[in-house]
Amino acid sequence: MNTLVDFFSKLFDTSDWPPRWYCGNWTDFHGWLYLFSDLTIWAAYMAIPLVLIRFIIVKKGVPLIRVFWLFGAFILLCGFTHLLDATMFYWPAYRFNAVIRFLTGVVSIATVIALIRYFDEAVGLRTSQEYNMELRIRQQVEQELRRSNEELQQFAYVASHDLQSPLKTIENYLKLFEAKYGEGLDENGHRIIDTTTAAAGRMRGLINDLLDFSRVGNSIEFETFQLDELVSEICDELQNDIAQTEATIDVPALPQLTAHRIDMKRLFQNLITNALKYHKPGVAPEVKLSFRDEAGLYLFSISDNGIGIEKTYFDRIFLIFQRLHGRGEYPGTGIGLATCKKIVEIYGGKIWVESTVGEGSTFYFTLPKMINPLRYYAQENQLHSVG
Ligand code: ADP
């Protein structure tokens, strides 16, 4: 302990040693070469941490930043030992020099440990070449995905569009057949015609829904409209269903929106129609719309007191053609919610459901307040019909 106290009390005391010039026989050349080299090394060692600090400041978010700082301290201290070596020619502070060397040793070992510890992580860091390569691959995959998506949309649009015309012919000829030969047909013959007409009607519904689905995102004609008016327009069109089921629809004051009006109408229409359709037998549907103004987006919800949905199907129902009920129970094509999801996501929002079987369902969706039309890509001019 005494040794330590004695040592540190004389930290800068130079009386025990002569300056290095007088220690041994230095020639001028030898001494100045020593001095010059040590000072050059010190200057270089000072510059490296400065460059590192500048790098850390300029390139924000540098990974493994602690290793950078340690490495900088290590270089700085190494440089300092060379500066002290040079000053010893005039100022023989051997105790202070020993302390600085000890500190340098500690920081050097800490740097080695840090380098070993973070070696795997450092190996995992991408070089700019690797990063560019990854970016190129990603861009190629995105391009391919976009192309196949557009092709698929084009196929859905063309197929559904062109199927309409032969379907119309089938329906018309069935009507003609019944009008012309109906009197001569027995009960079985009439049933066959009725079944075929109903099937053609279902196919028309499916084709129309598929067309609606493929049309989402086709037009960039945005307009500003009052959502209240749009919802009351939908309710007017659903008057028959509302009257038949004795439903009540509760609509709060809704905001103004700038978007493609037809998309918004499809979105609200599908959700309100489902809320009316999937009601419990003998129970009048109670449908409630609500909306919340949240930072940067609107959160809408449409809830009902209907049959509800099992939790396992919460995701599946948003996939195209996924239905939880047979046609005999509830009519439908299984395209409505897929269309809603496509609309909401193309606008940059999210859609999800919460439901309890036997109690009802609430469909939630978000829409950004400021919809970016660039998300919205037009592809109408790429579509060609064969008919
Ligand atoms: P569709 O109604 O034509 O069958 P959707 O895509 O609109 O197709 O809905 C998919 C399925 O999700 C429906 O078949 C139904 O089983 C379920 N579903 C949708 N909305 C509701 C709702 N409000 N309550 C209960 N089930 C619903």
Side-chain angles (χ1 to χ4, degrees):
M1 190 66 190
N2 280 346
T3 317
L4 273 181
V5 173
D6 182 54
F7 179 88
F8 281 104
S9 62
K10 294 184 186 163
L11 192 61
F12 298 108
D13 187 349
T14 58
S15 60
D16 294 331
W17 303 275
R20 198 177 254 174
W21 272 125
Y22 308 109
C23 191
N25 292 316
W26 294 91
T27 60
D28 277 355
F29 174 76
H30 187 179
W32 282 111
L33 182 66
Y34 205 109
L35 265 165
F36 174 78
S37 308
D38 262 340
L39 289 175
T40 314
I41 296 170
W42 168 70
Y45 276 14
M46 280 299 287
I48 293 170
L50 289 179
V51 175
L52 278 181
I53 289 171
R54 179 147 188 264
F55 175 72
I56 288 169
I57 292 172
V58 172
K59 189 152 179 80
K60 294 188 175 66
V62 173
L64 304 178
I65 189 106
R66 275 171 49 208
V67 179
F68 267 85
W69 283 117
L70 258 180
F71 194 66
F74 158 67
I75 298 277
L76 204 70
L77 281 165
C78 283
F80 205 39
T81 57
H82 283 277
L83 176 69
L84 284 177
D85 256 6
T87 57
M88 299 285 258
F89 275 82
Y90 304 95
W91 186 58
Y94 278 95
R95 289 187 190 82
F96 180 59
N97 197 334
V99 171
I100 293 299
R101 276 164 196 278
F102 176 73
L103 273 181
T104 311
V106 171
V107 173
S108 310
I109 293 294
T111 311
V112 171
I113 292 171
L115 283 175
I116 293 171
R117 209 170 132 202
Y118 293 110
F119 184 78
D120 286 345
E121 209 175 315
V123 168
L125 294 177
R126 278 166 296 182
T127 62
S128 59
Q129 254 174 344
E130 286 169 332
Y131 182 77
N132 283 338
M133 170 80 98
E134 197 184 304
L135 198 70
R136 263 205 308 280
I137 293 173
R138 196 173 286 190
Q139 278 168 344
Q140 270 170 9
V141 171
E142 269 175 16
Q143 206 177 346
E144 181 55 29
L145 201 70
R146 209 173 307 129
R147 192 194 56 75
S148 77
N149 230 349
E150 279 169 11
E151 231 172 62
L152 208 69
Q153 295 223 17
Q154 201 166 330
F155 170 75
Y157 179 85
V158 172
S160 44
H161 188 265
D162 294 346
L163 278 174
Q164 269 185 334
S165 130
L167 184 66
K168 244 181 230 145
T169 313
I170 292 171
E171 280 182 319
N172 288 342
Y173 272 80
L174 270 174
K175 267 191 209 136
L176 203 68
F177 182 77
E178 190 164 36
K180 223 170 170 185
Y181 306 106
E183 278 178 12
L185 287 176
D186 60 5
E187 201 182 314
N188 212 15
H190 279 292
R191 216 182 40 242
I192 291 173
I193 290 183
D194 287 348
T195 313
T196 319
T197 310
R202 276 202 308 279
M203 191 164 168
R204 174 198 293 285
L206 199 68
I207 288 172
N208 284 340
D209 283 359
L210 207 56
L211 257 176
D212 277 353
F213 180 78
S214 63
R215 274 188 190 128
V216 173
N218 279 358
S219 168
I220 46 168
E221 281 167 28
F222 275 30
E223 54 185 296
T224 302
F225 51 88
Q226 248 348 99
L227 263 179
D228 306 73
E229 283 169 20
L230 185 119
V231 171
S232 78
E233 194 179 302
I234 294 170
C235 291
D236 285 348
E237 287 168 13
L238 291 171
Q239 239 354 286
N240 270 348
D241 294 330
I242 295 172
Q244 256 174 29
T245 54
E246 296 177 2
T248 51
I249 303 186
D250 185 7
V251 186
L254 294 171
Q256 184 176 277
L257 216 63
T258 301
H260 188 50
R261 196 173 189 276
I262 294 174
D263 282 349
M264 284 303 124
K265 187 164 176 188
R266 278 189 200 125
L267 173 61
F268 281 88
Q269 200 168 33
N270 279 325
L271 294 173
I272 296 173
T273 308
N274 279 352
L276 293 173
K277 181 164 66 173
Y278 296 103
H279 69 94
K280 284 181 278 197
V283 179
E286 286 170 19
V287 182
K288 195 172 179 311
L289 265 76
S290 70
F291 109 96
R292 249 200 350 243
D293 188 334
E294 299 197 337
L297 53 85
Y298 292 128
L299 169 67
F300 295 93
S301 71
I302 296 175
S303 59
D304 61 57
N305 59 339
I307 55 172
I309 303 160
E310 271 181 52
K311 204 169 182 208
T312 35
Y313 301 122
F314 280 7
D315 289 332
R316 220 175 88 180
I317 54 170
F318 291 100
L319 300 177
I320 195 160
F321 298 133
Q322 293 293 326
R323 307 201 67 227
L324 306 181
H325 305 277
R327 251 196 340 260
E329 274 181 287
Y330 295 94
T333 56
I335 303 177
L337 289 181
T339 306
C340 293
K341 185 173 161 70
K342 192 174 168 191
I343 293 171
V344 169
E345 288 183 352
I346 219 164
Y347 281 95
K350 271 198 254 172
I351 184 165
W352 70 98
V353 66
E354 278 169 22
S355 179
T356 309
V357 174
E359 286 184 21
S361 316
T362 304
F363 284 83
Y364 295 92
F365 62 93
T366 58
L367 288 175
K369 280 185 191 168
M370 296 285 294
I371 293 168
N372 178 3
L374 283 182
R375 287 186 67 94
Y376 208 86
Y377 53 94
Q379 54 174 25
E380 213 147 53
N381 47 11
Q382 300 169 16
L383 303 173
H384 306 285
S385 167
V386 294

